[in-house]
Amino acid sequence: MISSSEIKKIVNGYSDVKIGVMGSHSALEVMDGAKDENFQTLVYCQKGREGPYQRFGRIADEIVVLNKFKDMASAKNQKAMRDSNVIIVPHRSLTVYLGYKTLENSFKVPIFGNRKLFQAEERTAKRNQYFLLEKAKIKFPKLFKDPKNINKPCIVKVQELKRPLERAFFTVSSYKDYKEKSEAKIKQGLISRNGLEKASIEELAIGTYMNFNFFHTPISKQVDFIGIERRLQTNVHDFNALPAKQQLDINIDLQNIEVGHTPASIRESLLEKVIKMGDKFVAAVKKEYAPGIIGPFSLQSVITKDLELVVYDVSLRVPGNPIVATTSPYTKYQYGKTFGIGKRIAMEIRQAQEEGRLDEIVT
């Protein structure tokens, strides 16, 4: 494990901070926010995937093209980052392509975020997101440890075999249904038997899906509510829009790979519940993973017919939702202007730098 004192020493030696990010997931949002606060930016791209960052060149001051994303963690690149006063902003792709062990044990570059907390997002971790939600007394779906006990609509959350960034979730209604669908997906090569054994089986929460996005660091005065978005997913989205009769007539494989986002807002009378949920989650994480949450997080939720909030997934780093940057009214209510996660991160880094507190918001 990289010691916090080592990272603090590195960041305390920084002068003009540069914001760095892996060229995937939400890099454009991170860099755009950084430019709003007049930071220099650096993006690490895998060869063949640098196109968007070249096209939107205004926000990328430096583009480093690598053979593989994992090369970002080479000793040479790490030294170059430290020499350039880089703080890395993490997102899902960073944790997948570099891996938790690398981030925790050998990536000696300051990260805006709590690197010990990232793995809690995985349902296979001991103190995982279910554990944190339980500690925070936030409702989440009932879990079925034994698939033989499935007696209601459930969702099986399993990792894709060939694409570690994606999850091959599927719905079932009984043990027989579970066996048939899981065996078919194994046969198709979408998932592995080992992956299935590690999968989580949750009761399918029925209601309106909304992803609530928050922000907090140890130097924040409160937990900011940034905004709401909903996910667009490959053929699931359009399939669900068909009339029920047509759905029954179509026999196709459904995959819920996220491909986009759409903005949303919530009725004002429910805002109190949303804000309290964010506050409770931050308090619980601080007790379990000191120094707690550093930066953005998302509580992906369902609002039931009884107006209960049920959290079905947690993002413990930059969530991929650039749509919030231009559509959320909630930052305008608080700050007088509309912005997203990227700018809020840059605002916090700027404040920390001016107050000499950078070592409190990196690990």
Side-chain angles (χ1 to χ4, degrees):
M1 176 70 71
I2 297 171
S3 69
S4 58
S5 59
E6 190 173 6
I7 295 298
K8 288 179 186 294
K9 183 178 179 181
I10 292 169
V11 80
N12 285 333
Y14 279 6
S15 51
D16 293 327
V17 167
K18 181 181 288 187
I19 292 180
V21 65
M22 178 182 280
S24 179
H25 194 267
S26 45
L28 292 169
E29 161 70 7
V30 170
M31 290 190 293
D32 184 54
K35 297 309 293 182
D36 282 349
E37 294 297 311
N38 298 312
F39 282 105
Q40 291 284 297
T41 60
L42 168 69
V43 59
Y44 281 89
C45 302
Q46 184 167 289
K47 189 175 181 180
R49 295 180 60 175
E50 66 271 23
Y53 312 102
Q54 293 172 338
R55 176 61 60 92
F56 305 122
R58 177 189 69 82
I59 60 176
D61 291 302
E62 185 179 352
I63 301 172
V64 178
V65 180
L66 309 167
N67 287 326
K68 295 290 183 182
F69 276 130
K70 66 180 182 180
D71 296 338
M72 182 176 170
S74 71
K76 178 183 177 181
N77 284 325
Q78 287 190 49
K79 183 178 185 303
M81 288 182 225
R82 293 191 296 267
D83 290 345
S84 299
N85 301 327
V86 169
I87 291 176
I88 292 294
V89 175
H91 48 51
R92 173 70 178 168
S93 292
L94 185 81
T95 61
V96 168
Y97 290 117
L98 296 194
Y100 300 118
K101 287 185 179 179
T102 294
L103 290 173
E104 291 181 14
N105 300 323
S106 60
F107 192 67
K108 296 182 181 179
V109 179
I111 290 177
F112 178 79
N114 184 347
R115 67 176 79 201
K116 292 184 294 184
L117 177 61
F118 297 151
Q119 66 173 319
E121 192 170 311
E122 302 300 331
R123 292 169 174 81
T124 53
K126 187 175 181 181
R127 292 188 298 151
N128 60 17
Q129 57 176 278
Y130 299 130
F131 172 86
L132 293 173
L133 290 168
E134 188 171 26
K135 291 292 183 181
K137 294 182 170 55
I138 294 173
K139 188 168 184 177
F140 58 92
K142 177 183 176 181
L143 299 176
F144 288 80
K145 293 184 178 180
D146 187 344
K148 292 180 180 178
N149 294 331
I150 296 173
N151 59 359
K152 59 182 64 178
C154 291
I155 183 166
V156 181
K157 297 188 171 181
V158 58
Q159 205 73 33
E160 272 199 25
L161 176 61
K162 296 178 181 178
R163 296 185 299 174
L165 200 61
E166 305 294 347
R167 287 132 172 176
F169 295 175
F170 59 97
T171 55
V172 296
S173 57
S174 64
Y175 178 59
K176 179 176 180 291
D177 194 22
Y178 167 87
K179 287 290 290 181
E180 290 175 354
K181 288 180 178 176
S182 59
E183 288 299 327
K185 289 186 180 296
I186 291 171
K187 189 175 180 179
Q188 292 167 7
L190 291 175
I191 64 175
S192 68
R193 200 166 299 281
N194 182 53
L196 185 66
E197 290 174 359
K198 296 177 181 178
S200 295
I201 305 172
E202 297 178 3
E203 179 181 355
L204 187 64
I206 304 297
T208 299
Y209 290 75
M210 288 188 175
N211 297 332
F212 301 115
N213 298 283
F214 304 87
F215 183 95
H216 180 74
T217 78
I219 71 170
S220 301
K221 293 181 180 178
Q222 65 179 23
V223 180
D224 282 0
F225 177 46
I226 301 297
I228 309 169
E229 43 81 32
R230 289 158 57 92
R231 303 295 164 92
L232 302 175
Q233 299 163 323
T234 51
N235 57 3
V236 170
H237 184 77
D238 289 332
F239 181 82
N240 288 340
L242 294 172
K245 185 177 185 302
Q246 286 182 264
Q247 290 185 25
L248 292 172
D249 290 339
I250 298 173
N251 183 23
I252 60 172
D253 289 325
L254 296 177
Q255 283 186 284
N256 62 342
I257 299 171
E258 292 169 4
V259 293
H261 314 84
T262 187
S265 61
I266 192 169
R267 59 188 276 189
E268 202 160 308
S269 60
L270 289 173
L271 262 178
E272 183 72 15
K273 289 183 178 181
V274 175
I275 291 168
K276 281 185 177 179
M277 186 168 68
D279 289 345
K280 290 195 299 182
F281 191 74
V282 165
V285 173
K286 188 173 183 179
K287 290 180 180 179
E288 301 298 331
Y289 283 92
I293 287 176
I294 299 176
F297 65 99
S298 177
L299 300 178
Q300 299 178 23
S301 309
V302 168
I303 303 174
T304 70
K305 64 180 179 62
D306 299 316
L307 302 184
E308 277 191 307
L309 303 184
V310 181
V311 177
Y312 65 89
D313 202 4
V314 178
S315 295
L316 294 166
R317 33 68 198 172
V318 175
N321 53 11
I323 195 70
V324 171
T326 57
T327 60
S328 172
Y330 304 103
T331 54
K332 190 171 189 297
Y333 297 155
Q334 182 174 346
Y335 290 96
K337 51 190 173 183
T338 297
F339 57 83
I341 291 297
K343 182 175 173 66
R344 185 64 186 88
I345 290 170
M347 288 166 59
E348 200 79 347
I349 293 175
R350 178 64 71 200
Q351 179 185 337
Q353 187 174 29
E354 291 174 352
E355 297 178 1
R357 303 177 70 182
L358 279 175
D359 59 0
E360 296 181 50
I361 63 167
V362 299
T363 60

